[in-house]
Amino acid sequence: MITVSLFDPPMCCSTGVCGPVLDPTLLRITEMLQQIKSLGATVERYNLAQQPAEFARNPEVKRILNDEGTTALPLIFINGELVLKGRYPGETERTALLQRIQNTSPSDPQ
Amino acid sequence: MNHHNNNQTTPSSPLHSTLPLPHRPIADILTDAPRFLFFTGKGGVGKTSIACATALALADSGRQTLLVSTDPASNLDQVLGLELARTPRPVPSAPTLSALNINPAAAAAAYRERIIGPMRGLLPEPTLREMEEQLSGACTMEIAAFDEFTEFLAADGADAATHAHIVFDTAPTGHTLRLMALSQAWTGFLNHNTSGQSCLGPLAGLEKQRSLYSTAVDVLKDHTQTRVILVSRPQPAALREARRTAQELENLAISNQCLAINGWFTPTHPDDDVSAKWAEKQSRAIATSKEFLASKPLYLAPLLSDNLVGLDILRAFFRSTTNNIQNGTPPSNPSNPSNPSNPSNPSNPSNPSNPSNPSDLAEELAASGRGVILTMGKGGVGKTTIAAALALALAERGANVLLSTTDPAAHLQDALNGETGTLQIERIDPQAETEAYTREVLASQPDNLDPEAKALIEEDLRSPCTTEIAVFRAFARTVAHGDNGFVVLDTAPTGHTLLLLDATQAYHRELGRQSRSPHHEEAIANLLPRLRDPAFTRILLVTLAETTPVREAADLQDDLRRAGIEPQSWIINQSLADLTTADPILAARSRSESKHIQEILQNHSRRKVYAVDWSPLEPIGRHALLHLIHHHNTTTTNQANQEPT
């Protein structure tokens, strides 16, 4: 079973439509996470402004915040392995990420 | 108990001294009071005074009573002479009364602390500061204040449960309708949300909120539990607003409503010209709304010489209105009517301690060629009127003028009576802006967008929080229009406007943090710099020469200065200082004005102060509005004794 974890910087809503800047990237991320779910993977998404306990509970996330601060957000993990730090994935990276999940059988115990 | 006291106790009052409709004295409002009482209405109608007097009388009858203000610019502290907080504080010398203030900023601070507090020591300080910043936005403030509001309605906390009556003194209409409608909006949003996420946080943690909000909806609709008192003045705009509010509350199924007309003037000197004009003006206002006024139980409170401040005065107000409402000697008005002539002679134009002529302001503004002119101040002081009048005066001088408003309850067309001429008229309507923003976001999505992702975006767009950002964006764009001409922008009453300014600053900081993002819109990125540019933005603080509006305008000025914005001038509206009248109440009002005008000139304004005279005509329509700006007493002539046209 694959688990994708996304740790967002502090924000109001995850699509960003309630912020001052309408960032198309955030909307693409929402879309990508939906696609990942439809591939059978588990998606966890945490917003620092709403679920800080999840950030504190994860030793790796906590270490990064200690060392680098919130500019290191967002963080994306696949089964605990850090795959992206400090920005959201661009189009090519999103495709690669989806490819990687697709190539891993949902029943693969890793 | 019959308080329909229609027998005149004063000698030969003119015809219009009696309200030609069945009514009862204001103190009767206590009869059969349900648990929750909401006092709402246009700014300046006396919601706080009547709510306080009601709460005090209920408490004095031995029932545990809680008085709650939901106005972000509450004056409850001053009226009660007590510093209020988020939790109930006992009111000295009223053992069964306590009071509190739901202040969005304080509520948001507490909300932040609930989230951030447990993280201290677990997450690094800079991270906590970033969270704090994010949780200082408009959305958090609204949610936090709304949560506190519903807790009292649902009688959830121990504080609420122990009270027999909870009396709400609400913010002016626009803000209050939003608060009432939010219970239903959030309940609907939570019931239909499928993503598991929301601006309120992960939905799993919101079970408590969900039941809280739906209880609030039920309580507001239940006529055995909730009564709304629509407070108004005998004045057309206030009556129209009461009528619209009644309808909107009806749409929310909040139907236990009654009406309180505050500031009813009963002339005492039949030969006094000002008294006669004052009484005629209020009779004309009543005539426009007879049907509405007859549709609900009606209570009447008399015109007083100044604002009600202090427990003794509040108590006396209710105790004696039963007997005195008809004879024009209200309790808090121990003024001496023996000298009807105005003691001051404030109309010497060479005296620098006098306010200036408003047509000078129109000239000065016109000379600047472009920019944004904002009218700000307490509800009911005439912001819309002054904005419309100045817009007309600028257009008359050939300028390209856009007149708009951020007040959801304002009606510019009513003020202009449709006589717009070359003016371009707009309004920032929260619902329309939210719809436009929703369309804009959805239109910017690619056609092949994943349907589930689209559903998520639509869901976030339905969140009541989206309204905040949509209004903010519209505000930024309207201000940006000032690049190409004049924008005269009428704002909502102080509390609402302060929240808009807070949002402006919070979003500005958020943009600073997101400087990597290439998606800044010019109007939004430059909003705060534009507002801070004194050559571009001119804020006019509008006030009446009365205790509470002056204090509120002065507090607003402090807030503006903290945000790096210096008001351009003060405008004293409906000035009575030049009136000569034999009526004791009107004369006392006129006298007390001089004191407030001097206070503004000496303590508050750093630039110019202008005065717009009280007019026996309603300032409606092009002619009457321009008259306000151009016709001003520069001599000791008593304008009120002249024919208005």
Side-chain angles (χ1 to χ4, degrees):
Chain A
M1 187 66 184
I2 295 184
T3 301
V4 176
S5 315
L6 170 55
F7 292 85
D8 283 308
M11 49 194 198
C12 182
C13 59
S14 59
T15 56
V17 297
C18 49
V21 177
L22 187 55
D23 184 349
T25 318
L26 278 173
L27 298 172
R28 297 291 83 75
I29 296 306
T30 305
E31 185 178 33
M32 179 191 77
L33 294 176
Q34 284 301 319
Q35 288 161 342
I36 292 175
K37 269 188 207 167
S38 67
L39 292 172
T42 305
V43 174
E44 305 172 336
R45 185 171 190 181
Y46 303 116
N47 173 355
L48 181 58
Q50 294 175 344
Q51 298 133 294
E54 300 295 338
F55 289 68
R57 192 177 296 147
N58 185 312
E60 179 69 359
V61 173
K62 194 175 166 182
R63 187 192 60 76
I64 293 171
L65 281 178
N66 266 316
D67 295 349
E68 302 171 45
T70 50
T71 48
L73 298 176
L75 297 167
I76 299 182
F77 295 88
I78 296 183
N79 286 342
E81 179 203 336
L82 181 64
V83 295
L84 203 67
K85 186 175 80 174
R87 62 190 172 79
Y88 289 101
E91 195 179 344
T92 346
E93 287 167 316
R94 291 199 298 269
T95 317
L97 214 66
L98 283 167
Q99 200 65 52
R100 177 172 167 181
I101 290 159
Q102 203 155 23
N103 293 343
T104 320
S105 144
S107 55
D108 186 343
Q110 279 275 327
Chain B
M1 190 161 63
N2 175 23
H3 292 294
H4 294 245
N5 179 8
N6 287 325
N7 56 321
Q8 288 296 317
T9 54
T10 45
S12 60
S13 291
L15 192 67
H16 10 258
S17 62
T18 315
L19 183 65
L21 287 161
H23 60 271
R24 304 162 76 181
I26 191 71
D28 275 12
I29 215 157
L30 301 170
T31 314
D32 304 326
R35 179 134 190 260
F36 299 102
L37 290 167
F38 284 85
F39 288 84
T40 187
K42 189 168 172 2
V45 294
K47 293 182 290 295
T48 300
S49 301
I50 298 182
C52 278
T54 304
L56 195 55
L58 288 168
D60 285 348
S61 73
R63 284 171 279 186
Q64 286 291 337
T65 303
L66 178 63
L67 180 56
V68 178
S69 168
T70 66
D71 186 350
S74 169
N75 296 301
L76 205 49
D77 292 46
Q78 287 86 5
V79 173
L80 293 175
L82 169 72
E83 199 185 323
L84 299 177
R86 283 180 56 239
T87 49
R89 295 217 164 136
V91 177
S93 79
T96 47
L97 179 64
S98 42
L100 69 94
N101 222 339
I102 298 183
N103 176 302
Y111 181 96
R112 273 197 296 280
E113 192 49 34
R114 281 201 299 277
I115 294 180
I116 296 172
M119 293 298 116
R120 292 231 162 75
L122 294 176
L123 290 174
E125 270 304 318
T127 301
L128 298 177
R129 275 199 298 277
E130 281 252 0
M131 291 169 62
E132 204 167 308
E133 190 65 40
Q134 173 58 43
L135 293 169
S136 303
C139 192
T140 309
M141 287 220 212
E142 182 169 69
I143 289 168
F146 174 65
D147 266 5
E148 295 197 349
F149 168 68
T150 51
E151 272 168 33
F152 286 102
L153 276 186
D156 201 48
D159 286 339
T162 53
H163 292 97
H165 293 285
I166 302 186
V167 177
F168 290 91
D169 169 30
T170 71
T173 316
H175 194 266
T176 298
L177 283 172
R178 167 97 173 136
L179 193 65
M180 300 268 203
L182 270 179
S183 314
Q184 293 184 21
W186 277 116
T187 301
F189 179 74
L190 294 179
N191 286 342
H192 295 107
N193 185 298
T194 51
S195 70
Q197 286 288 343
S198 75
C199 301
L200 297 179
L203 281 181
L206 289 177
E207 273 317 308
K208 186 177 163 243
Q209 258 75 9
R210 196 195 298 258
S211 78
L212 205 60
Y213 299 165
S214 70
T215 309
V217 173
D218 295 342
V219 166
L220 288 173
K221 288 178 184 172
D222 181 352
H223 64 97
T224 65
Q225 291 195 72
T226 298
R227 180 179 298 158
V228 177
I229 298 96
L230 301 156
V231 186
S232 184
R233 294 250 171 196
Q235 191 258 330
L239 288 166
R240 259 198 312 270
E241 193 158 315
R243 197 170 63 223
R244 288 184 180 120
T245 307
Q247 188 53 56
E248 294 214 30
L249 291 173
E250 209 55 75
N251 296 346
L252 293 167
I254 301 170
S255 51
N256 184 348
Q257 304 175 358
C258 65
L259 281 158
I261 299 291
N262 188 28
W264 183 257
F265 174 60
T266 307
T268 50
H269 291 62
D271 301 327
D272 182 62
D273 189 54
V274 175
S275 297
K277 288 202 162 79
W278 195 288
E280 274 165 34
K281 196 176 177 181
Q282 81 179 0
S283 293
R284 281 195 301 269
I286 293 297
T288 62
S289 291
K290 254 189 183 156
E291 211 171 298
F292 170 62
L293 291 169
S295 71
K296 298 178 197 301
L298 182 61
Y299 301 89
L300 204 60
L303 181 74
L304 304 178
S305 56
D306 201 351
N307 304 143
L308 288 173
V309 174
L311 290 195
D312 293 341
I313 288 171
L314 286 166
R315 280 198 170 103
F317 175 61
F318 252 29
R319 262 205 309 271
S320 46
T321 49
T322 3
N323 309 318
N324 286 349
I325 191 155
Q326 300 290 341
N327 68 16
T329 48
S332 75
N333 184 40
S335 57
N336 174 9
S338 61
N339 178 13
S341 69
N342 195 327
S344 64
N345 179 10
S347 296
N348 177 357
S350 65
N351 184 343
S353 68
N354 282 323
S356 310
N357 187 327
S359 64
D360 296 349
L361 174 62
E363 283 303 330
E364 190 189 328
L365 292 172
S368 64
R370 58 160 211 164
V372 175
I373 297 152
L374 294 121
T375 54
M376 293 190 179
K378 189 178 185 312
V381 296
K383 292 180 294 299
T384 306
T385 300
I386 299 291
L390 282 172
L392 285 169
L394 289 170
E396 207 182 33
R397 289 164 172 80
N400 168 16
V401 183
L402 167 66
L403 174 63
S404 185
T405 179
T406 66
D407 184 357
H411 292 268
L412 296 170
Q413 290 292 1
D414 286 353
L416 289 160
N417 197 26
E419 299 155 19
T420 55
T422 61
L423 287 184
Q424 206 189 325
I425 312 276
E426 272 183 16
R427 65 187 307 224
I428 299 177
D429 173 63
Q431 197 184 339
E433 296 305 338
T434 307
E435 284 163 12
Y437 179 61
T438 300
R439 280 195 302 275
E440 188 188 331
V441 170
L442 292 176
S444 70
Q445 302 309 309
D447 293 339
N448 60 351
L449 180 71
D450 177 270
E452 286 195 50
K454 184 164 183 242
L456 276 183
I457 293 164
E458 285 174 339
E459 199 157 274
D460 273 353
L461 285 169
R462 278 195 298 273
S463 155
C465 270
T466 305
T467 304
E468 301 293 329
I469 189 67
V471 165
F472 169 74
R473 292 167 68 97
F475 175 56
R477 285 175 194 171
T478 303
V479 167
H481 276 301
D483 283 351
N484 311 314
F486 284 105
V487 177
V488 181
L489 193 47
D490 163 42
T491 68
T494 319
H496 199 269
T497 297
L498 284 176
L499 294 179
L500 190 60
L501 283 174
D502 277 342
T504 301
Q505 294 181 79
Y507 289 137
H508 190 75
R509 289 190 299 265
E510 194 171 336
L511 287 175
R513 289 202 307 277
Q514 296 180 350
S515 52
R516 289 161 295 172
S517 167
H519 310 290
H520 292 183
E521 195 181 315
E522 189 277 337
I524 292 171
N526 288 329
L527 176 60
L528 196 55
R530 278 196 176 96
L531 292 178
R532 282 176 175 159
D533 176 2
F536 183 85
T537 297
R538 294 163 193 93
I539 291 179
L540 312 177
L541 290 172
V542 184
T543 187
L544 305 177
E546 292 173 20
T547 311
T548 312
V550 170
R551 192 177 43 230
E552 196 165 313
D555 289 347
L556 175 59
Q557 176 167 264
D558 290 342
D559 278 310
L560 288 167
R561 285 175 177 162
R562 274 193 286 276
I565 301 167
E566 179 68 30
Q568 202 256 7
S569 50
W570 283 62
I571 299 182
I572 299 161
N573 193 23
Q574 295 171 32
S575 175
L576 302 173
D578 291 353
L579 289 187
T580 303
T581 173
D583 184 87
I585 292 175
L586 299 182
R589 287 177 78 93
S590 173
R591 272 196 305 277
S592 84
E593 273 209 357
S594 306
K595 179 184 80 191
H596 295 301
I597 291 171
Q598 289 312 310
E599 184 196 343
I600 294 167
L601 286 161
Q602 283 155 28
N603 304 341
H604 299 317
S605 172
R606 285 189 192 154
R607 298 197 69 240
K608 277 198 153 172
V609 178
Y610 300 90
V612 174
D613 292 337
W614 176 81
S615 162
L617 278 187
E618 282 301 331
I620 291 170
R622 182 186 170 81
H623 177 79
L625 286 167
L626 282 170
H627 188 80
L628 289 181
I629 301 291
H630 296 311
H631 179 97
H632 186 73
N633 291 329
T634 47
T635 68
T636 51
T637 315
N638 187 338
Q639 186 213 342
N641 285 333
Q642 300 170 339
E643 276 310 305
T645 43

